[in-house]
Amino acid sequence: MSGATGRAMSNVKATGSSAREGELPIPPHFDPDRAGAVWRVEYAERAREAEAWAQQHGVPTAASDKTRICLVAIDAQNTFCLPGFELFVQGKSGNGAVDDNVRLCRFIYRHLHRITEIVSTMDTHTAIQIFHPVFLVDRSGRHPAPVTPISREDVEKGVWRIDPGVAKSLEAGDHTRIEEHLLHYARQLELGRKYSLMTWPYHAMLGGIGHALVPIVEEALFFHAIARRQPTRFEIKGDNPLTEHYSVLGPEVRAAADRRELGHKNTGLTRRLLEFDAVLVAGQAKSHCVSWTIRDLLDEIATIDSDLARRVYLLEDCMSPVVVPGVVDFSDAADSAFASFRSAGVQIIRSVDPLVLR
């Protein structure tokens, strides 16, 4: 037994990961102590192990599933999931996303034989976007600090305006047009009862290490894909510079002041999700991208059949709210949203409980 394998097996035993009836054991390679770090997934080794694991435990191919289950892993990326990265979701505990991902990976391995498909959403940004500091300036030409709320009233009074260089870059120098968009955008957020515009730290930058999946989750998704012969489905969101995109099912504002489309509903993903017998949701952050994805999904469900909401299960112990100590705490907003989801028929469950579909 190699030292690495021995350490992994030791970790599994130490964390009480023995299989319960109807569940699989956790593979020896899983090491929860690595959940908070960046490392390279050993694809070839994991692939060999996944095939052997499937054969050893009689794991069928996903295509043979009679009860079809989809797991949606929202934004399980370094930028949100690792301490020291740009928007680490620490939650109330201070170690939120790290602990969430340990529980999520254990859940994936224990239910490898039952999860038909995994959808991984990927927040995807470039430097010049409406929620990044460079986009806005005050009357003195200074950019807002990260985690600064930008209200409709602020925009109307000229407290914050578009950086002149950004206007030239995005609208060929038509400063008036993009200023009109900013005001329109702030008003639309308020009318839609959504969060006010917020300047976030530069994060999930396309091509950067923060954009990548956090390795411990990437490894679990890869292992699942090989074992079940079912590729992970990746969904990109957030690359339009003129709108936020918390929900994978659509941007915060879909049309500009001049009615240009900023983004559209991801009806293809919605339709696919509703083909499954159960949709399990985990990821970051509970207060933002998870909550708004579920809101959008329920809005679509309401137009089809409200009873479909009972197919949606939220793994509440695999997600945390945005909390920046001394600055902002979205815990109450997240809990309020989840209370409304429960009222709509969504199942709120924990990854550590037996998976019983209703």
mmCIF file of all heavy atoms in Angstrom, residues 285-302:
data_model
loop_
_atom_site.group_PDB
_atom_site.id
_atom_site.type_symbol
_atom_site.label_atom_id
_atom_site.label_comp_id
_atom_site.label_asym_id
_atom_site.label_seq_id
_atom_site.Cartn_x
_atom_site.Cartn_y
_atom_site.Cartn_z
ATOM 1 N N ALA A 285 -23.337 30.345 -3.725
ATOM 2 C CA ALA A 285 -23.590 30.456 -2.299
ATOM 3 C C ALA A 285 -25.083 30.301 -2.066
ATOM 4 O O ALA A 285 -25.898 30.635 -2.919
ATOM 5 C CB ALA A 285 -23.111 31.821 -1.779
ATOM 6 N N LYS A 286 -25.428 29.797 -0.903
ATOM 7 C CA LYS A 286 -26.831 29.574 -0.566
ATOM 8 C C LYS A 286 -27.666 30.831 -0.756
ATOM 9 O O LYS A 286 -28.811 30.767 -1.233
ATOM 10 C CB LYS A 286 -26.934 29.094 0.891
ATOM 11 C CG LYS A 286 -28.345 28.874 1.400
ATOM 12 C CD LYS A 286 -28.331 28.462 2.866
ATOM 13 C CE LYS A 286 -29.754 28.284 3.420
ATOM 14 N NZ LYS A 286 -29.741 27.935 4.857
ATOM 15 N N SER A 287 -27.095 31.979 -0.400
ATOM 16 C CA SER A 287 -27.842 33.243 -0.432
ATOM 17 C C SER A 287 -27.940 33.856 -1.819
ATOM 18 O O SER A 287 -28.783 34.731 -2.053
ATOM 19 C CB SER A 287 -27.157 34.256 0.489
ATOM 20 O OG SER A 287 -25.772 34.367 0.179
ATOM 21 N N HIS A 288 -27.103 33.412 -2.753
ATOM 22 C CA HIS A 288 -27.059 34.072 -4.054
ATOM 23 C C HIS A 288 -27.318 33.097 -5.200
ATOM 24 O O HIS A 288 -28.464 32.931 -5.606
ATOM 25 C CB HIS A 288 -25.720 34.804 -4.214
ATOM 26 C CG HIS A 288 -25.621 36.062 -3.405
ATOM 27 N ND1 HIS A 288 -25.476 36.050 -2.031
ATOM 28 C CD2 HIS A 288 -25.677 37.367 -3.766
ATOM 29 C CE1 HIS A 288 -25.458 37.296 -1.580
ATOM 30 N NE2 HIS A 288 -25.564 38.117 -2.617
ATOM 31 N N CYS A 289 -26.284 32.462 -5.720
ATOM 32 C CA CYS A 289 -26.457 31.659 -6.921
ATOM 33 C C CYS A 289 -27.362 30.452 -6.719
ATOM 34 O O CYS A 289 -28.094 30.058 -7.619
ATOM 35 C CB CYS A 289 -25.097 31.244 -7.468
ATOM 36 S SG CYS A 289 -24.117 32.676 -7.979
ATOM 37 N N VAL A 290 -27.340 29.849 -5.524
ATOM 38 C CA VAL A 290 -28.263 28.743 -5.254
ATOM 39 C C VAL A 290 -29.691 29.264 -5.162
ATOM 40 O O VAL A 290 -30.598 28.766 -5.842
ATOM 41 C CB VAL A 290 -27.874 27.999 -3.961
ATOM 42 C CG1 VAL A 290 -28.945 26.964 -3.614
ATOM 43 C CG2 VAL A 290 -26.521 27.321 -4.112
ATOM 44 N N SER A 291 -29.908 30.276 -4.351
ATOM 45 C CA SER A 291 -31.273 30.784 -4.143
ATOM 46 C C SER A 291 -31.908 31.286 -5.434
ATOM 47 O O SER A 291 -33.070 30.992 -5.725
ATOM 48 C CB SER A 291 -31.266 31.907 -3.103
ATOM 49 O OG SER A 291 -31.132 31.387 -1.798
ATOM 50 N N TRP A 292 -31.135 32.036 -6.230
ATOM 51 C CA TRP A 292 -31.735 32.596 -7.442
ATOM 52 C C TRP A 292 -31.946 31.538 -8.505
ATOM 53 O O TRP A 292 -32.906 31.629 -9.305
ATOM 54 C CB TRP A 292 -30.902 33.763 -7.952
ATOM 55 C CG TRP A 292 -31.001 34.948 -7.045
ATOM 56 C CD1 TRP A 292 -30.017 35.443 -6.238
ATOM 57 C CD2 TRP A 292 -32.161 35.743 -6.772
ATOM 58 N NE1 TRP A 292 -30.498 36.511 -5.500
ATOM 59 C CE2 TRP A 292 -31.799 36.718 -5.812
ATOM 60 C CE3 TRP A 292 -33.465 35.734 -7.251
ATOM 61 C CZ2 TRP A 292 -32.703 37.669 -5.325
ATOM 62 C CZ3 TRP A 292 -34.374 36.679 -6.770
ATOM 63 C CH2 TRP A 292 -33.987 37.625 -5.821
ATOM 64 N N THR A 293 -31.119 30.506 -8.538
ATOM 65 C CA THR A 293 -31.372 29.398 -9.459
ATOM 66 C C THR A 293 -32.668 28.692 -9.095
ATOM 67 O O THR A 293 -33.484 28.376 -9.972
ATOM 68 C CB THR A 293 -30.195 28.393 -9.428
ATOM 69 O OG1 THR A 293 -29.014 29.039 -9.936
ATOM 70 C CG2 THR A 293 -30.500 27.166 -10.268
ATOM 71 N N ILE A 294 -32.871 28.450 -7.802
ATOM 72 C CA ILE A 294 -34.101 27.772 -7.375
ATOM 73 C C ILE A 294 -35.318 28.660 -7.627
ATOM 74 O O ILE A 294 -36.378 28.172 -8.060
ATOM 75 C CB ILE A 294 -34.016 27.364 -5.892
ATOM 76 C CG1 ILE A 294 -32.841 26.413 -5.667
ATOM 77 C CG2 ILE A 294 -35.324 26.714 -5.444
ATOM 78 C CD1 ILE A 294 -32.870 25.172 -6.535
ATOM 79 N N ARG A 295 -35.207 29.949 -7.383
ATOM 80 C CA ARG A 295 -36.320 30.865 -7.681
ATOM 81 C C ARG A 295 -36.716 30.758 -9.152
ATOM 82 O O ARG A 295 -37.904 30.651 -9.494
ATOM 83 C CB ARG A 295 -35.931 32.307 -7.359
ATOM 84 C CG ARG A 295 -35.873 32.662 -5.886
ATOM 85 C CD ARG A 295 -35.532 34.131 -5.724
ATOM 86 N NE ARG A 295 -35.168 34.474 -4.358
ATOM 87 C CZ ARG A 295 -36.033 34.787 -3.399
ATOM 88 N NH1 ARG A 295 -37.325 34.782 -3.670
ATOM 89 N NH2 ARG A 295 -35.614 35.096 -2.191
ATOM 90 N N ASP A 296 -35.719 30.812 -10.032
ATOM 91 C CA ASP A 296 -36.012 30.747 -11.465
ATOM 92 C C ASP A 296 -36.605 29.401 -11.849
ATOM 93 O O ASP A 296 -37.517 29.317 -12.686
ATOM 94 C CB ASP A 296 -34.742 31.008 -12.271
ATOM 95 C CG ASP A 296 -34.367 32.480 -12.328
ATOM 96 O OD1 ASP A 296 -35.174 33.314 -11.863
ATOM 97 O OD2 ASP A 296 -33.270 32.801 -12.832
ATOM 98 N N LEU A 297 -36.080 28.329 -11.252
ATOM 99 C CA LEU A 297 -36.611 27.006 -11.555
ATOM 100 C C LEU A 297 -38.071 26.900 -11.113
ATOM 101 O O LEU A 297 -38.924 26.376 -11.852
ATOM 102 C CB LEU A 297 -35.765 25.935 -10.868
ATOM 103 C CG LEU A 297 -36.173 24.478 -11.114
ATOM 104 C CD1 LEU A 297 -36.149 24.149 -12.592
ATOM 105 C CD2 LEU A 297 -35.259 23.535 -10.338
ATOM 106 N N LEU A 298 -38.382 27.420 -9.936
ATOM 107 C CA LEU A 298 -39.768 27.377 -9.455
ATOM 108 C C LEU A 298 -40.691 28.241 -10.297
ATOM 109 O O LEU A 298 -41.865 27.893 -10.510
ATOM 110 C CB LEU A 298 -39.826 27.814 -7.989
ATOM 111 C CG LEU A 298 -39.222 26.828 -6.980
ATOM 112 C CD1 LEU A 298 -39.276 27.413 -5.573
ATOM 113 C CD2 LEU A 298 -39.943 25.482 -7.022
ATOM 114 N N ASP A 299 -40.187 29.361 -10.795
ATOM 115 C CA ASP A 299 -40.998 30.198 -11.692
ATOM 116 C C ASP A 299 -41.373 29.420 -12.949
ATOM 117 O O ASP A 299 -42.523 29.503 -13.423
ATOM 118 C CB ASP A 299 -40.239 31.464 -12.080
ATOM 119 C CG ASP A 299 -40.189 32.492 -10.964
ATOM 120 O OD1 ASP A 299 -40.960 32.346 -9.988
ATOM 121 O OD2 ASP A 299 -39.385 33.438 -11.059
ATOM 122 N N GLU A 300 -40.421 28.676 -13.486
ATOM 123 C CA GLU A 300 -40.707 27.879 -14.683
ATOM 124 C C GLU A 300 -41.641 26.717 -14.354
ATOM 125 O O GLU A 300 -42.559 26.408 -15.119
ATOM 126 C CB GLU A 300 -39.399 27.346 -15.288
ATOM 127 C CG GLU A 300 -38.516 28.426 -15.888
ATOM 128 C CD GLU A 300 -39.220 29.188 -16.993
ATOM 129 O OE1 GLU A 300 -39.788 28.547 -17.906
ATOM 130 O OE2 GLU A 300 -39.211 30.436 -16.950
ATOM 131 N N ILE A 301 -41.414 26.089 -13.209
ATOM 132 C CA ILE A 301 -42.280 24.990 -12.786
ATOM 133 C C ILE A 301 -43.725 25.460 -12.644
ATOM 134 O O ILE A 301 -44.673 24.744 -13.010
ATOM 135 C CB ILE A 301 -41.754 24.385 -11.469
ATOM 136 C CG1 ILE A 301 -40.539 23.495 -11.746
ATOM 137 C CG2 ILE A 301 -42.838 23.609 -10.730
ATOM 138 C CD1 ILE A 301 -39.858 22.953 -10.510
ATOM 139 N N ALA A 302 -43.904 26.672 -12.134
ATOM 140 C CA ALA A 302 -45.254 27.212 -11.935
ATOM 141 C C ALA A 302 -46.029 27.326 -13.243
ATOM 142 O O ALA A 302 -47.261 27.273 -13.253
ATOM 143 C CB ALA A 302 -45.176 28.568 -11.246
#
